[in-house]
Amino acid sequence: MNQLSEALSNNHNKNIEELKELLRIPSISSLSEHKEDIQKAASWISNKLKNIGMEHVEIIQTKGHPIIYADWLHQENAPTVLVYGHYDVQPVDPINLWETPPFEPDIRDEKIFARGATDDKGQMFLHIKAVETLLESEGKLPVNIKFCIEGEEEIGSPNLPQFLSENKEKLSCDVVVISDSDMWDKGVPAITYSLRGLCALEVSLKTANSDLHSGMFGGGVQNANHLLIQLLSTLHDSNGKVNVDHFYDEVIELTEFENEQIKALGFDEEKLKKSLGLTDLTGGEQNYLYPVRISSRPTLEINGLWGGFQGEGTKTVIPNEAHAKITCRLVNNQHPEKIQELVKKHLEEYAPKGCTVKISLGDTGNPFLTPIDSPMIQKAAEAYKNVYGKSPVYKREGGSIPIVSDFSQSLNAPVVLMGFGLPDENLHAPNEHFNLENFDKGILTICSFLGLIEK
């Protein structure tokens, strides 16, 4: 490990400059005007993989954005590790809140600021540098390695499941490793062993055949906005519990060990309220602790709500249409398509008189859970301890990475989420950044993990 540390120290500036090159590419997958930038990012990563000694490097075109594949398969009777990451990034709006341009990487306070710095270019790049460091220092890798890096994660990975299904032999492995999550705190590593799933719906409510004059019809004709608010209010009870029949049927309560882990980590409610500019934290089910509510309980959220006049000034109309977007975060054992149908049924049954309701079903993603005591998870924990000097905490993540479940099911392999970001690094927000303390330590941890699973 000392030899690797010295090599990384000598190459630190070079490695950071290479990361800056990748971060300068505005590979925003959701905006069509950045299609060429997506291709540019794929080419950059492909060339980098070739340069470090990876073989069979391919840029595989899909119906959307390309997938990059590469491998190094020279260790007989050794495990095979598949590294997954993504090179696409979120849009940068609102641009006026960035202190420096989002695609001009800037280092301040030992942090590198740029869109994609922590989600996920910076973390994905750690694996490339780990392989490069091992090959340069030792001339070989302790295990076999495959890379699968996509450009559509930020838009739901629409083409990756089919690619996994059609390339099971090509991607076959003993473990999938993903670095697209965070640590518990600075200097406190964490292994995420659970991710919530996701399902989306949109509800449209209609009354009359057009907007109506509020002076002529007000008090006599139903207002679509009023009715939609009335309908949406039936989705939760007064304690924040989702009020949809059978919504919680498959939810499994946390084990005693998991509850003990959460309590042992501690939670500073006042610090969080201050950082968010809030006076209370009373969202969700009030009979559960806040850390449990945001990671281990299912939710139903109204993400968007609109109807009637939206422009400047006043327009005295009675809206005839109102709309809402809804998403549910789901926990292990819940089925997204089933929850969609339950919510849809509830909205249809509780629709107020005097209107018609149309519900459209949106994206879905499965939740993910891996046993804490699985061998690969424990190897990852040992690697963190080797580098950070302390064992990682185990945590459930409230967010969703639907493709994680797809990897696990398609390849029949355990998935290890080894995150090196920090919770306050503004992913998806202005001034996204990555703490450079975790750059070299992240590379060393990955190297340690690869060495441990060789045994």
Side-chain angles (χ1 to χ4, degrees):
M1 190 65 70
N2 289 337
Q3 182 181 351
L4 294 177
S5 297
E6 184 178 348
L8 284 172
S9 179
N10 293 335
N11 291 325
H12 179 80
N13 291 337
K14 167 181 166 289
N15 292 340
I16 294 298
E17 287 304 313
E18 289 181 357
L19 176 58
K20 285 182 177 181
E21 286 182 23
L22 179 58
L23 293 172
R24 289 189 183 104
I25 305 172
S27 48
I28 303 172
S29 54
S30 61
L31 302 179
S32 58
E33 60 262 36
H34 288 284
K35 188 174 182 178
E36 289 186 9
D37 296 313
I38 285 282
Q39 295 291 334
K40 184 178 178 181
S43 296
W44 191 97
I45 294 168
S46 172
N47 290 333
K48 183 59 188 172
L49 289 169
K50 291 175 184 176
N51 291 339
I52 68 171
M54 293 297 292
E55 300 169 346
H56 308 112
V57 182
E58 301 176 70
I59 297 178
I60 303 162
Q61 300 297 332
T62 70
K63 294 178 182 178
H65 301 316
I67 295 168
I68 304 156
Y69 174 84
D71 63 36
W72 188 96
L73 307 173
H74 295 291
Q75 285 287 19
E76 292 186 18
N77 303 318
T80 297
V81 178
L82 176 67
V83 175
Y84 164 79
H86 65 92
Y87 61 87
D88 64 318
V89 300
Q90 283 278 323
V92 298
D93 308 89
I95 188 68
N96 62 297
L97 296 183
W98 286 81
E99 292 183 24
T100 53
F103 295 109
E104 294 180 17
D106 184 56
I107 294 178
R108 315 189 289 274
D109 302 322
E110 291 302 307
K111 304 169 185 176
I112 184 165
F113 288 78
R115 173 59 86 225
T118 191
D119 181 22
D120 176 47
K121 289 178 177 177
Q123 296 200 62
M124 176 270 294
F125 194 57
L126 298 179
H127 291 272
I128 295 176
K129 300 310 295 187
V131 169
E132 180 183 39
T133 301
L134 286 168
L135 287 173
E136 285 184 352
S137 300
E138 303 176 9
K140 62 180 181 178
L141 300 175
V143 295
N144 299 303
I145 294 281
K146 297 177 180 179
F147 279 91
C148 177
I149 304 173
E150 69 155 325
E152 296 184 322
E153 194 275 342
E154 299 292 4
I155 54 173
S157 303
N159 292 292
L160 193 54
Q162 181 178 347
F163 178 76
L164 296 179
S165 178
E166 294 175 352
N167 293 273
K168 291 182 180 180
E169 185 174 348
K170 183 189 192 80
L171 300 172
S172 64
C173 60
D174 296 286
V175 60
V176 180
V177 181
I178 303 174
S179 294
D180 193 13
S181 53
D182 56 27
M183 298 167 51
W184 179 254
D185 203 349
K186 188 174 183 179
V188 184
I191 291 178
T192 299
Y193 67 96
S194 174
L195 296 163
R196 288 196 288 192
L198 179 75
C199 69
L201 307 91
E202 183 169 322
V203 54
S204 297
L205 183 151
K206 187 172 182 179
T207 54
N209 54 14
S210 68
D211 287 351
L212 298 172
H213 191 292
S214 67
M216 297 174 64
F217 296 94
V221 173
Q222 296 277 31
N223 183 310
N225 282 346
H226 296 178
L227 295 185
L228 183 59
I229 293 168
Q230 179 183 329
L231 175 58
L232 296 177
S233 70
T234 69
L235 291 170
H236 296 87
D237 68 15
S238 59
N239 290 316
K241 182 179 179 181
V242 177
N243 203 31
V244 173
D245 287 344
H246 306 294
F247 185 84
Y248 295 97
D249 282 3
E250 279 97 23
V251 176
I252 300 172
E253 296 290 335
L254 295 181
T255 65
E256 183 178 348
F257 173 78
E258 289 175 307
N259 279 314
E260 288 175 355
Q261 277 274 299
I262 290 171
K263 290 178 182 177
L265 290 171
F267 170 61
D268 191 334
E269 181 173 328
E270 293 306 316
K271 180 181 177 181
L272 180 61
K273 287 193 293 187
K274 184 177 180 181
S275 70
L276 297 177
L278 294 172
T279 57
D280 63 60
L281 298 172
T282 54
E285 302 168 89
Q286 292 307 294
N287 54 330
Y288 288 91
L289 296 173
Y290 177 86
V292 175
R293 300 202 307 268
I294 65 167
S295 65
S296 310
R297 298 295 298 173
T299 66
L300 186 155
E301 302 288 355
I302 299 167
N303 311 113
L305 186 61
W306 69 99
F309 180 61
Q310 306 290 313
E312 183 179 357
T314 300
K315 185 179 181 183
T316 53
V317 296
I318 298 173
N320 75 317
E321 290 187 16
H323 311 268
K325 290 183 182 290
I326 297 170
T327 56
C328 300
R329 297 283 182 175
L330 308 175
V331 296
N332 185 52
N333 218 41
Q334 287 186 298
H335 302 280
E337 291 79 11
K338 180 178 178 179
I339 297 299
Q340 276 183 323
E341 290 298 331
L342 291 174
V343 177
K344 180 175 183 287
K345 180 181 178 182
H346 176 99
L347 291 168
E348 290 172 342
E349 289 182 352
Y350 281 80
K353 293 180 180 179
C355 70
T356 57
V357 170
K358 179 181 178 183
I359 293 108
S360 302
L361 305 183
D363 295 336
T364 61
N366 289 313
F368 168 78
L369 178 72
T370 191
I372 292 175
D373 59 358
S374 71
M376 290 297 179
I377 291 290
Q378 291 307 305
K379 295 288 187 183
E382 188 176 348
Y384 274 119
K385 187 173 183 179
N386 288 343
V387 176
Y388 285 87
K390 60 180 69 176
S391 298
V393 301
Y394 298 95
K395 70 184 183 77
R396 290 187 178 224
E397 177 59 57
S400 306
I401 312 177
I403 199 62
V404 172
S405 179
D406 291 321
F407 270 108
S408 178
Q409 294 175 13
S410 292
L411 304 182
N412 193 28
V415 179
V416 178
L417 298 169
M418 297 183 71
F420 298 97
L422 291 178
D424 62 355
E425 289 181 336
N426 288 15
L427 64 165
H428 291 204
N431 302 309
E432 179 182 350
H433 58 276
F434 185 50
N435 281 257
L436 294 180
E437 175 187 358
N438 293 320
F439 188 75
D440 286 350
K441 283 188 175 181
I443 296 170
L444 283 174
T445 303
I446 293 165
C447 290
S448 177
F449 176 69
L450 297 179
L452 288 167
I453 64 173
E454 172 193 17
K455 302 171 184 177

